[in-house]
Amino acid sequence: MKVTYIHHSTFCVETEGKALVFDYYDGKGVPDCTYHGKMPELPRETPLYVFSSHSHRDHFSPEVLQWYKEYPNIHYIFAKEVKKKLGSSVLRKQGVGEGIKEKITYVKHNEQIRIDGARIETLLSTDSGVAFLVTVSGKTVYHAGDLNWWKWEGEPEEFNAYQERTYKEQIGLLAGRDIDLAFVVMDPRQEQYQFLGIQYFMEHVKARHVVPMHLWKQYRLALEYRKGLPAGEQGRILAVTHENQELEL
């Protein structure tokens, strides 16, 4: 597999002539954190699967619809909540016709579908939308979206208890699964709790390679976390350090 870290939680995974793009957005719209990563160039006939876990502005941009003009073998897999943002006016603004709707599949949590040789499973996010588990060309890739153990100082006890319970339930569904590559949230805004979700994931899911994401450009955190792991576990963490970084697996 070839992995391109575009920015934030946006990745392109290429395997056996197919490409998966997760949670692409244009890098704008979030104060004090603008990204400039770009989609890698792919052959026009590449089977391209474009995933959006939810509609938050740092996980989705309608401009992905324009890729329909470039890649005839494109498939969009969007969380159902994204549908609310894609009325006819948005399609017109993006310069695409109504025919693109046939390329879009909307999913909710706890679903399993097949699209053109790819098996797609969904989990419930603790924040919004879904997380994805995708198997294509013999490889299985997990992308968390915003599924994370969100614990915050000052939040009601009921909120934090829900987060813990739901996160553990959803990650439990991945225990024992054969996962080649996982993109997992590590959010510095959680301060002392920033490693909570990824640590639980590492302890309960035996993914071969784990890439911390949602770092808000604080890439040093992934390196710090990796150093703190037992020697035998450090190799599982792949730490990205800059936009459009490429990883060969």
Side-chain angles (χ1 to χ4, degrees):
M1 289 186 290
K2 177 183 176 181
V3 180
T4 302
Y5 165 63
I6 298 176
H7 48 228
H8 198 49
S9 297
T10 308
F11 294 85
C12 178
V13 180
E14 299 173 62
T15 179
E16 299 293 329
K18 298 180 179 180
L20 317 174
V21 177
F22 294 98
D23 281 13
Y24 179 88
Y25 89 109
D26 59 12
K28 305 172 185 176
V30 179
D32 303 319
C33 196
T34 299
Y35 293 96
H36 304 281
K38 302 294 183 183
M39 262 287 291
E41 294 186 6
L42 303 169
R44 175 176 168 78
E45 299 300 321
T46 301
L48 178 59
Y49 304 82
V50 181
F51 297 87
S52 181
S53 63
H54 61 294
S55 61
H56 288 175
R57 58 185 177 181
D58 62 323
H59 289 262
F60 176 73
S61 291
E63 73 176 55
V64 299
L65 300 175
Q66 297 182 20
W67 301 350
Y68 170 68
K69 304 173 188 176
E70 301 177 46
Y71 300 102
N73 296 323
I74 196 168
H75 304 277
Y76 297 98
I77 304 93
F78 294 160
K80 283 195 171 180
E81 66 159 40
V82 175
K83 191 173 185 178
K84 299 176 183 178
K85 290 199 170 186
L86 295 183
S88 296
S89 61
V90 174
L91 298 182
R92 287 196 299 271
K93 185 176 181 180
Q94 295 299 320
V96 295
E98 292 288 321
I100 196 174
K101 292 182 178 180
E102 298 178 0
K103 294 285 189 176
I104 304 174
T105 301
Y106 295 101
V107 295
K108 62 181 185 299
H109 69 272
N110 196 30
E111 285 194 334
Q112 183 177 142
I113 62 173
R114 290 184 179 271
I115 298 177
D116 192 26
R119 186 179 72 200
I120 300 158
E121 302 168 71
T122 57
L123 283 70
L124 173 66
S125 176
T126 46
D127 185 10
S128 184
V130 302
F132 292 107
L133 187 68
V134 185
T135 301
V136 62
S137 301
K139 302 294 184 182
T140 299
V141 180
Y142 167 74
H143 189 281
D146 266 353
L147 172 56
N148 183 37
W149 186 340
W150 298 107
K151 184 173 182 178
W152 305 95
E153 289 287 353
E155 286 289 345
E157 182 179 339
E158 294 80 5
F159 172 88
N160 285 329
Y162 169 81
Q163 290 290 320
E164 178 178 357
R165 180 176 66 254
T166 305
Y167 186 73
K168 289 181 176 180
E169 287 173 351
Q170 295 304 301
I171 296 306
L173 298 176
L174 301 177
R177 297 296 299 267
D178 188 17
I179 299 175
D180 296 285
L181 175 64
F183 301 106
V184 181
V185 176
M186 179 186 290
D187 195 314
R189 299 173 302 172
Q190 289 185 270
E191 298 179 335
Q192 68 265 39
Y193 303 124
Q194 61 196 357
F195 299 149
L196 198 58
I198 196 168
Q199 183 60 35
Y200 189 85
F201 184 93
M202 292 287 289
E203 291 172 355
H204 292 85
V205 182
K206 296 304 179 185
R208 292 181 179 84
H209 303 286
V210 178
V211 181
M213 65 177 188
H214 215 269
L215 291 161
W216 300 107
K217 293 189 176 183
Q218 296 191 37
Y219 301 118
R220 61 176 179 78
L221 295 179
L223 299 172
E224 290 175 7
Y225 175 73
R226 184 169 63 186
K227 288 179 182 178
L229 291 174
E233 289 287 287
Q234 291 182 12
R236 294 174 61 198
I237 294 289
L238 302 179
V240 295
T241 59
H242 57 274
E243 297 168 32
N244 281 114
Q245 181 178 351
E246 295 181 358
L247 305 171
E248 294 283 351
L249 306 182

